[in-house]
Amino acid sequence: MKSWIKAGTAAAFVLGTGAGMVWAQSSGSPSSSPFSGWFGRDSNDGSPVDLDFQLHGGDDGLLPAIRQTSLLVSAQDEGRVTGQDMLAAARGDYARILGVLYDQGYYSGIIDITLDGVEAASIAPLDAPSTVRRVVVSVQPGPRFRYSRAEIAPVAPGTELPRDYRRGEIARTGDMKNAATSGVASWRDVGHAKAEVAETEIIADHATNLIDSRIRLAPGPELRFGQLTIRGHQRMDPRRLRKIAGFPEGERFDPEKLEDMRKRLRRSGVFSAITLTEADQIGPGNTLDVDLLVTEQKLRRLGAGFEYSNTDGLSLTGYWINRNLFRGGERLRVDASISDIGGDTGRDYSLGLRIDRPATITADTTGYVLAKVESLQEEDYDLKSGTFGLGFTWIPSDELTADIALQYRALRVDDDSGRTDFRLFALPALVTWDKRDEPTDAKRGYWLSGGITPFVGLQEETGSGAQVLAEGRAYYSFGADDRFTLAGRARLGTVVGPEIEETPRDYLFWSGGGGTVRGHSYESLGVEVIQGPDGPVKTGGMSIVTLTAETRIQVRERIGLALFADAGRVWEDSGWSGASGWQAGAGAGVRYQTPVGPLRFDIAAPVGGGDGDDGGVQVYIGLGQAF
């Protein structure tokens, strides 16, 4: 590959995929330094350095860009102000400032950097001054250059070049580099894995202030995936490793398919490092071999979490994971939780076990088996349940996830109406579309989820029907560094088919608490329709709608504030009909950023609705945003 620039004055330029050159001139020489012989290498006395940037011409954004890239500014901010530090930073700033000028379309710039009046380029590194009091950076950008020609060829179908890489626009080196990068990437996207920049020619005409830019690409032949070699695995069965990776041997080369392999291997949870390397040479029949190097994570992992509410009490959760149970990437996870510790109702317990097997049926499908038992002691009922199920999770992309399972469930409910046993088969299905920028602390994007759980009762007390749920979340940020974030959530659900007394209690809907309406007690809003010996019995409703609006404000790097309002309504019949009740709450909170997500502290109070018995302030503490 060739890369050069022709110009009437000293200039520098870098372009392409790893090739180029930087070229500059300066007056004087190290041996002629006026400081030679008496500049020592002692530390500065700690006095601040007067750093002065002087820009003679150019647009308004040029000086901030120069200061942002300057090593002198960085050294001063970090307290590295010895003579040796200042000289090293100054010598490095020539190329950095020149790069900024070129990226802004200035190709006739003159840069002077003086340390106490002496040009930094004329000082030998071993003759650094012991102390520097004043540094002056003087930049004369000169006229701005525009394209007389902006040409790149040949380009692949569908190539999207930078919109400003065309005749008459400002000739920025960044646009030239992006054009070359886009050209190569587009050829690779259509199977030309060895595409590269063959030659670049950029001619600066200082008489007319024009740039003639020509980039020639070499696409190379269209290739197919060859063979996959794997290295680094220890406990992992290589046959299963290949299946999880889903290497598309024989298919047309596509870099996106290599990225899909990385994602599948990363989702398995077995590996801490994954490196895919394309072969340097083209194989027989225009094939390209790929080398996979993996590093396995520690086999086991232990974790825990917590959440606290002044009415619901303390909730503790813990899990234990074996990442490679049968040497095929199978993951065993055991979850346990205790909640309502010190709360208004009895303690709740749960214990679950789940085994996931990646690459079951297809490379993007994970099969799993689960078993879970739990005991809930709520204010209006006690529930004991057991669930056993088989299911599949399909993840075709980072955004889309689908899950379906077949479950057998047994539940026993004790409330004011007596004891009720439920036996049923269920077929829960859930689809999630996640377009958030950051799952644990989203600032932009949205999250959508829709699910349906058909169930068939196996005895007279259990009805048949389906629970339907849908939820949407949206995020929008604005201000400097996205300081302000507006977040909203809407959730609705209904049960169709059975009567309310024939419906498993955990398929019914309640409002109140940290997951629905903050400021009201947990599950404080339901309906009273089931008749017991002493009259109506309070239970969950057949339909629900909850709404949440939250404003998040980043006050400092790690500290944020939140203002929120929640509302919920529960209906006694399917399809959001029949008698209903509503409640609303509002409050504020503090967020503290940690490496695993924001630590959340919220205070909320009821502002309307409810049953009149859940007034007062509610406190919520947890890890992660509320949604």
Side-chain angles (χ1 to χ4, degrees):
M1 168 185 164
K2 299 179 181 178
S3 177
W4 70 86
I5 181 168
K6 299 177 182 177
T9 63
F13 190 72
V14 178
L15 177 63
T17 55
M21 59 183 177
V22 177
W23 178 65
Q25 286 182 332
S26 63
S27 60
S29 64
S31 61
S32 63
S33 168
F35 300 103
S36 180
W38 63 272
F39 266 3
R41 306 187 69 172
D42 299 330
S43 300
N44 200 344
D45 60 5
S47 301
V49 175
D50 181 7
L51 181 56
D52 182 18
F53 282 82
Q54 300 175 1
L55 181 65
H56 309 283
D59 66 342
D60 294 339
L62 187 56
L63 182 57
I66 290 174
R67 290 188 59 91
Q68 185 174 8
T69 194
S70 171
L71 293 175
L72 285 164
V73 172
S74 299
Q76 187 182 55
D77 290 344
E78 296 169 7
R80 297 182 288 105
V81 293
T82 67
Q84 187 72 46
D85 289 331
M86 289 290 100
L87 176 60
R91 292 175 70 92
D93 268 358
Y94 285 106
R96 283 176 167 262
I97 295 173
L98 193 62
V100 172
L101 294 178
Y102 279 11
D103 200 43
Q104 297 295 323
Y106 298 98
Y107 295 87
S108 298
I110 299 175
I111 303 168
D112 290 306
I113 304 177
T114 61
L115 308 182
D116 290 335
V118 180
E119 187 71 30
S122 67
I123 305 173
L126 296 180
D127 289 336
S130 59
T131 302
V132 174
R133 298 299 184 191
R134 178 174 171 79
V135 179
V136 178
V137 180
S138 176
V139 180
Q140 300 178 44
R144 211 166 200 176
F145 284 59
R146 294 182 178 271
Y147 291 114
S148 61
R149 173 166 47 183
E151 178 183 288
I152 179 171
V155 293
T159 302
E160 294 186 7
L161 297 174
R163 59 180 300 177
D164 291 334
Y165 185 66
R166 58 182 177 177
R167 183 177 180 178
E169 296 295 330
I170 296 172
R172 296 182 171 91
T173 55
D175 290 333
M176 300 183 216
K177 295 176 185 178
N178 291 337
T181 301
S182 298
V184 170
S186 296
W187 277 116
R188 284 175 54 81
D189 288 342
V190 294
H192 296 258
K194 295 302 181 183
E196 62 179 356
V197 176
E199 185 178 5
T200 63
E201 183 177 8
I202 296 94
I203 301 174
D205 188 338
H206 290 261
T208 59
N209 300 327
L210 294 174
I211 290 287
D212 184 339
S213 171
R214 284 177 285 184
I215 304 171
R216 186 169 66 84
L217 303 178
E222 181 178 310
L223 304 180
R224 293 176 295 108
F225 284 110
Q227 296 182 346
L228 176 69
T229 59
I230 57 175
R231 297 181 294 124
H233 54 92
Q234 297 175 346
R235 294 179 295 268
M236 189 73 179
D237 182 346
R239 183 185 63 83
R240 287 286 299 150
L241 176 54
R242 289 178 181 274
K243 190 171 182 180
I244 294 171
F247 181 66
E249 183 175 344
E251 298 183 18
R252 190 184 77 175
F253 175 85
D254 186 346
E256 189 63 31
K257 292 182 179 179
L258 292 180
E259 183 59 28
D260 289 341
M261 288 178 59
R262 289 190 183 93
K263 293 174 182 176
R264 294 186 194 109
L265 293 167
R266 189 164 52 244
R267 281 198 301 263
S268 73
V270 177
F271 310 104
S272 60
I274 303 160
T275 303
L276 285 165
T277 306
E278 301 168 18
D280 294 332
Q281 303 299 324
I282 297 175
N286 284 342
T287 59
L288 185 68
D289 295 339
V290 176
D291 178 74
L292 170 61
L293 175 63
V294 297
T295 302
E296 296 183 9
Q297 295 203 69
K298 292 182 178 180
L299 185 61
R300 299 171 183 84
R301 181 180 180 183
L302 185 67
F306 76 95
E307 186 166 343
Y308 175 78
S309 165
N310 65 326
T311 56
D312 305 334
L314 178 65
S315 298
L316 301 176
T317 60
Y319 65 87
W320 179 85
I321 293 177
N322 184 309
R323 293 188 172 95
N324 197 0
L325 186 62
F326 304 122
R327 296 176 55 85
E330 301 87 359
R331 179 172 59 182
L332 167 65
R333 177 173 177 136
V334 180
D335 288 274
S337 69
I338 304 176
S339 57
D340 286 347
I341 302 173
D344 296 338
T345 60
R347 295 183 182 180
D348 299 337
Y349 303 89
S350 71
L351 177 65
L353 179 149
R354 174 167 167 155
I355 299 176
D356 289 83
R357 183 180 186 271
T360 300
I361 303 178
T362 71
D364 293 319
T365 304
T366 297
Y368 63 87
V369 57
L370 64 84
K372 182 178 181 180
V373 293
E374 62 180 341
S375 173
L376 306 179
Q377 298 183 43
E378 307 302 339
E379 181 176 354
D380 299 297
Y381 67 93
D382 291 342
L383 170 68
K384 291 180 173 59
S385 67
T387 301
F388 177 80
L390 302 169
F392 298 93
T393 302
W394 180 53
I395 309 178
S397 69
D398 289 341
E399 294 83 16
L400 180 62
T401 303
D403 189 280
I404 188 169
L406 176 63
Q407 299 177 349
Y408 171 76
R409 307 196 65 212
L411 304 91
R412 171 168 290 180
V413 178
D414 292 296
D415 55 23
D416 291 342
S417 65
R419 173 170 290 180
T420 307
D421 290 319
F422 297 92
R423 301 289 186 273
L424 65 143
F425 279 116
L427 189 70
L430 179 68
V431 176
T432 302
W433 182 250
D434 190 348
K435 294 291 289 184
R436 295 173 295 178
D437 57 347
E438 176 56 53
T440 60
D441 189 11
K443 292 186 176 296
R444 296 183 183 277
Y446 58 89
W447 183 92
L448 301 174
S449 177
I452 182 171
T453 304
F455 57 90
V456 177
L458 302 179
Q459 58 186 38
E460 183 178 351
E461 293 177 304
T462 309
S464 299
Q467 183 200 61
V468 182
L469 278 171
E471 182 173 339
R473 307 171 187 176
Y475 308 86
Y476 175 74
S477 296
F478 59 94
D481 299 323
D482 288 340
R483 181 184 175 191
F484 301 93
T485 300
L486 303 179
R489 176 177 64 180
R491 178 175 176 263
L492 55 90
T494 189
V495 178
V496 295
E499 298 295 328
I500 192 169
E501 62 269 15
E502 300 173 333
T503 304
R505 296 297 183 263
D506 56 353
Y507 286 170
L508 299 176
F509 303 103
W510 299 82
S511 181
T516 53
V517 179
R518 287 164 287 185
H520 289 263
S521 300
Y522 178 69
E523 293 191 352
S524 57
L525 179 62
V527 296
E528 295 182 345
V529 293
I530 300 176
Q531 292 296 322
D534 300 323
V537 176
K538 187 175 180 180
T539 185
M542 295 286 278
S543 301
I544 191 173
V545 170
T546 62
L547 302 172
T548 297
E550 190 162 295
T551 299
R552 302 166 185 168
I553 306 169
Q554 199 66 32
V555 179
R556 294 188 175 182
E557 182 180 359
R558 292 186 175 274
I559 299 177
L561 301 177
L563 303 174
F564 56 85
D566 304 337
R569 181 176 287 272
V570 177
W571 288 262
E572 70 176 42
D573 294 332
S574 300
W576 303 277
S577 61
S580 65
W582 70 280
Q583 60 183 193
V590 178
R591 307 289 186 267
Y592 181 80
Q593 292 293 337
T594 72
V596 293
L599 184 63
R600 171 170 46 92
F601 179 87
D602 289 339
I603 299 177
V607 296
D611 58 11
D613 297 328
D614 49 314
V617 174
Q618 311 287 323
V619 177
Y620 306 91
I621 301 174
L623 189 60
Q625 296 286 4
F627 62 93

